[in-house]
Each structure stands twice: as C-alpha cells, then as structure tokens.
C-alpha cells in the first residue's frame, strides 16, 4: 500500500540555521510528491512538487527538496531558516490515477530567535 | 486573484444540530475535495467530486454528506454533529490530471457544544 512517513514529529532550529525535514514514501511507480506548509489556523499552501525531471526541486520561500529514488525519500531543505517559517509541514504523495493525496502525519517546526 | 474561499472561518454548532460548511472557487478546477483535520493530525479525506461525480471514502461516516450544485461551489453537510466532529474542515481543488497539486482554502474551524 502507498504510504508517506515523516519520522520527525517536532523539530526545533535556531533562526539562521539550516533545516532538513525528512519524508519517506512507499510507492510502486514513479511518485508524484509534494510538500505543503500550514500556518496555525490556516489551510495548506503548496511549497513545491516533483513528478519528473531534475531531482532537485526549487519551491517558494527559499525551500528546495531532493528526490532520491534509491532511498525512497523526498526531504525538504532550507539553508537559512527565518522565524516566519515556524509552521507545520506535510509531505504528500499522489495516489496514481485517483486524484487523491496521501499525507504524512506532519512535522511541526519551531524556530528559536 | 483566483482562489478557494471557505465560509465561515469559524462555526459553532450545537450537538446534533445540522450544519453546513461552504466552499467556493474561482480557479475553474473540476476536482473538489473535503478534508477533516483534527489537532496535530494529517488531513483526512472525506470525499471528493470529479466534476459532478461524487466519490466517498470508505470510512467516511454517513453523518457527512456533500453537494456540488455547480463547478464553483461545494458544500459539506453534517447531519447530526457529535463532539468528535469538532475539527478543521479543509476544502481543496485541483485540475484533473496528475501532478498539479491542490489549492486549499483557509479552512473552517468547527466547534460542537
């Protein structure tokens, strides 16, 4: 069965430090992968997506993610975190042909001033 | 700007009193979704419409219904809300086809008293 795992429930980093949020997926074919961010009390906003081509994907707000097929991973990175990045981050995979996404359980990011 | 709008942002309803949440979109997307999100959890898909075709998730309680009178609007009806139905309800839209990603509304926070 298709699944998405985000191993880290909470992550705390200092402002200006680098960030990596982990995402592992289980999927039989080439996956369509997404990262979303959710600020408190808000809906989800698409940060970036991967479905083919260059395995390093650039997104909004200075985020990037790298697709590694050998590791079944799609980790999200940012070189220098800003206090406004504090939010919950969800990784998702599209279930082929169903128009439905499978979400990970999310990683809550806290940024220390 | 093209967007997904959910009304109201906050809804308080009484135990057992029917309630309707609304979602409208100006993106002309043909797929619309309703998700339920409880605190610190991943969004859980309740159902989605592909054009006028309704697709219910197998584990969505009968208490939850949906209507889509036209492309732009979609409603979530909870016939007899229980305390366990208190959650954030998220509407999302997508173009048909894979890899486009969802556009989410800001959500409606439902409180049941």
């Amino acid at each position: 069965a298709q699944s998405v795992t985000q191993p880290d429930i909470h992550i705390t980093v200092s402002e200006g430090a680098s960030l990596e949020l982990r995402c592992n997926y289980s999927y039989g074919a080439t996956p369509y992968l997404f990262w979303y961010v959710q600020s408190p009390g808000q809906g989800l906003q698409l940060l970036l997506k991967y479905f083919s081509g260059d395995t390093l994907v650039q997104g909004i707000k200075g985020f990037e993610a790298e697709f590694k097929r050998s590791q079944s991973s799609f980790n999200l990175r940012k070189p220098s975190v800003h206090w406004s990045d504090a939010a919950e981050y969800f990784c998702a995979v599209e279930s082929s042909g169903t128009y439905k996404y499978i979400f990970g359980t999310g990683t809550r990011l806290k940024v220390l001033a | 700007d093209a967007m997904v709008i959910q009304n109201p942002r906050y809804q308080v309803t009484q135990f057992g009193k029917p309630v309707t949440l609304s979602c409208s979109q100006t993106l002309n997307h043909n797929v619309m979704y309703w998700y339920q999100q409880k605190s610190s959890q991943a969004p859980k898909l309740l159902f989605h419409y592909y054009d006028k075709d309704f697709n219910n998730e197998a584990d969505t309680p009968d208490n939850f219904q949906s209507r889509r009178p036209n492309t732009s609007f979609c409603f979530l009806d909870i016939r007899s809300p229980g305390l366990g139905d208190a959650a954030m309800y998220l509407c999302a839209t997508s173009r048909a086809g894979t890899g486009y990603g969802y556009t989410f509304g800001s959500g409606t926070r439902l409180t049941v008293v």
Side-chain angles (χ1 to χ4, degrees):
Chain A
Q2 298 155 0
S3 65
V4 177
T5 303
Q6 294 180 246
D8 305 304
I9 298 174
H10 297 279
I11 282 187
T12 300
V13 299
S14 298
E15 190 171 20
S18 63
L19 172 70
E20 182 168 31
L21 303 182
R22 296 184 291 165
C23 172
N24 294 99
Y25 65 90
S26 172
Y27 194 78
T30 299
Y32 296 89
L33 294 160
F34 305 83
W35 274 101
Y36 286 85
V37 61
Q38 185 178 32
S39 297
Q42 299 295 318
L44 281 71
Q45 181 183 20
L46 179 65
L47 284 175
L48 46 78
K49 61 183 178 182
Y50 169 82
F51 48 92
S52 67
D54 193 344
T55 56
L56 185 62
V57 181
Q58 301 297 321
I60 62 171
K61 305 186 179 188
F63 285 93
E64 65 178 27
E66 186 170 14
F67 170 64
K68 293 186 177 180
R69 185 187 300 276
S70 61
Q71 298 177 17
S72 297
S73 69
F74 187 57
N75 294 348
L76 182 71
R77 301 193 296 244
K78 187 170 185 178
S80 178
V81 171
H82 188 263
W83 64 266
S84 61
D85 294 324
E88 186 133 26
Y89 292 80
F90 292 95
C91 181
V93 63
E94 181 172 328
S95 181
S96 177
T98 68
Y99 310 111
K100 298 191 293 188
Y101 290 12
I102 300 167
F103 284 91
T105 51
T107 298
R108 186 171 297 275
L109 174 65
K110 182 177 180 180
V111 179
L112 301 176
Chain B
D1 288 342
M3 54 182 21
V4 179
I5 299 171
Q6 291 188 244
N7 285 306
R9 288 295 310 278
Y10 302 92
Q11 176 74 56
V12 180
T13 191
Q14 292 180 337
F15 182 94
K17 184 176 180 180
V19 65
T20 295
L21 309 182
S22 74
C23 177
S24 64
Q25 57 133 338
T26 59
L27 297 160
N28 204 32
H29 286 171
N30 49 354
V31 192
M32 294 187 77
Y33 309 80
W34 279 105
Y35 280 84
Q36 179 193 63
Q37 186 182 27
K38 296 189 176 179
S39 182
S40 301
Q41 295 183 21
K44 177 182 180 297
L45 182 63
L46 296 174
F47 24 61
H48 75 278
Y49 276 93
Y50 184 111
D51 292 326
K52 294 183 179 180
D53 293 333
F54 177 69
N55 298 272
N56 198 30
E57 293 300 297
D59 58 353
T60 298
D62 292 340
N63 198 26
F64 291 85
Q65 305 284 321
S66 186
R67 296 169 284 133
R68 188 179 185 187
N70 54 52
T71 300
S72 300
F73 286 87
C74 195
F75 299 97
L76 170 62
D77 301 308
I78 308 176
R79 293 192 297 186
S80 181
L83 298 179
D85 297 327
M88 173 77 89
Y89 289 88
L90 297 166
C91 175
T93 71
S94 179
R95 291 172 58 186
T98 52
Y100 288 111
Y102 289 179
T103 301
F104 280 88
S106 297
T108 294
R109 170 75 64 187
L110 179 67
T111 300
V112 181
V113 299

